[in-house]
């Protein structure tokens, strides 16, 4: 009897050890505001300038790090509501930012992003509007 109890304890400890030995895959949280945006071509117009750029919005999460769009970054959600989302992100040892997106409609958003890229500060304000399919 003692041998069977000892075996059960060893098995349970081994299972617990193995469960914590392998890293869990990180899943990015679904953000309520981003889920409600229309897919397609969006035009991002920078406030106070004639600068605009077009993006194909398949994954709306790209709006969270406009200045670091080519970087793999970790994100921390500060606020998530149907009308507003605020996310802090870090890309490597130096680059980081905070982005706030306010939804006016499923095809219109206001984006404010600030942070550091390449050791230089940035502060950007965009109006994002769905303009076509892509």
């Amino acid at each position: 009897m003692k041998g069977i109890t000892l075996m059960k304890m060893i098995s349970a400890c081994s299972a617990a050890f193995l469960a914590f030995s392998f890293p869990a895959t990180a899943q990015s949280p679904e953000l309520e505001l981003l889920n409600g945006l229309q897919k397609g071509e969006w035009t991002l117009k920078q406030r106070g300038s004639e600068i605009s750029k077009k993006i194909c919005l398949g994954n709306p999460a790209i709006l969270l790090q406009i200045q670091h769009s080519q970087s793999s970054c970790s994100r921390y959600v500060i606020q998530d509501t149907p009308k507003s989302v605020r996310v802090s992100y870090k890309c490597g040892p130096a680059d980081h930012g905070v982005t706030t997106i306010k939804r006016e409609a499923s095809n219109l958003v206001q984006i404010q992003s600030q942070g550091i890229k390449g050791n230089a500060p940035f502060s950007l304000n965009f109006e994002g509007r769905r303009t076509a399919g892509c």
Side-chain angles (χ1 to χ4, degrees):
M1 263 315 177
K2 287 184 181 181
I4 294 174
T5 304
L6 182 60
M7 289 296 277
K8 285 181 182 178
M9 259 173 62
I10 291 172
S11 295
C13 289
S14 296
F17 174 76
L18 288 173
F20 293 108
S21 297
F22 297 101
T25 54
Q27 298 197 5
S28 67
E30 295 274 329
L31 297 173
E32 200 169 344
L33 176 139
L34 297 180
N35 287 337
L37 297 181
Q38 293 179 13
K39 307 283 191 252
E41 179 187 271
W42 282 65
T43 300
L44 302 178
K45 185 174 183 321
Q46 191 168 347
R47 294 253 180 225
S49 94
E50 296 301 313
I51 297 173
S52 68
K53 66 180 184 176
K54 294 183 185 280
I55 61 170
C56 184
L57 194 64
N59 178 4
I62 62 173
L63 296 176
L64 295 172
Q65 48 187 84
I66 293 172
Q67 197 65 356
H68 296 95
S69 60
Q70 302 302 316
S71 303
S72 176
C73 307
S74 62
R75 295 184 188 139
Y76 175 76
V77 178
I78 299 169
Q79 175 189 21
D80 180 25
T81 70
K83 296 279 187 187
S84 177
V85 66
R86 184 172 175 90
V87 173
S88 172
Y89 63 89
K90 185 157 178 63
C91 314
D95 291 353
H96 63 273
V98 175
T99 300
T100 301
I101 302 174
K102 294 182 180 176
R103 183 175 81 165
E104 294 182 19
S106 64
N107 62 348
L108 178 63
V109 294
Q110 303 300 321
I111 304 169
Q112 198 283 323
S113 187
Q114 61 185 10
I116 303 290
K117 181 176 182 181
N119 292 323
F122 68 88
S123 182
L124 303 168
N125 290 295
F126 289 98
E127 178 178 87
R129 190 178 293 272
R130 185 180 187 280
T131 50
C134 56

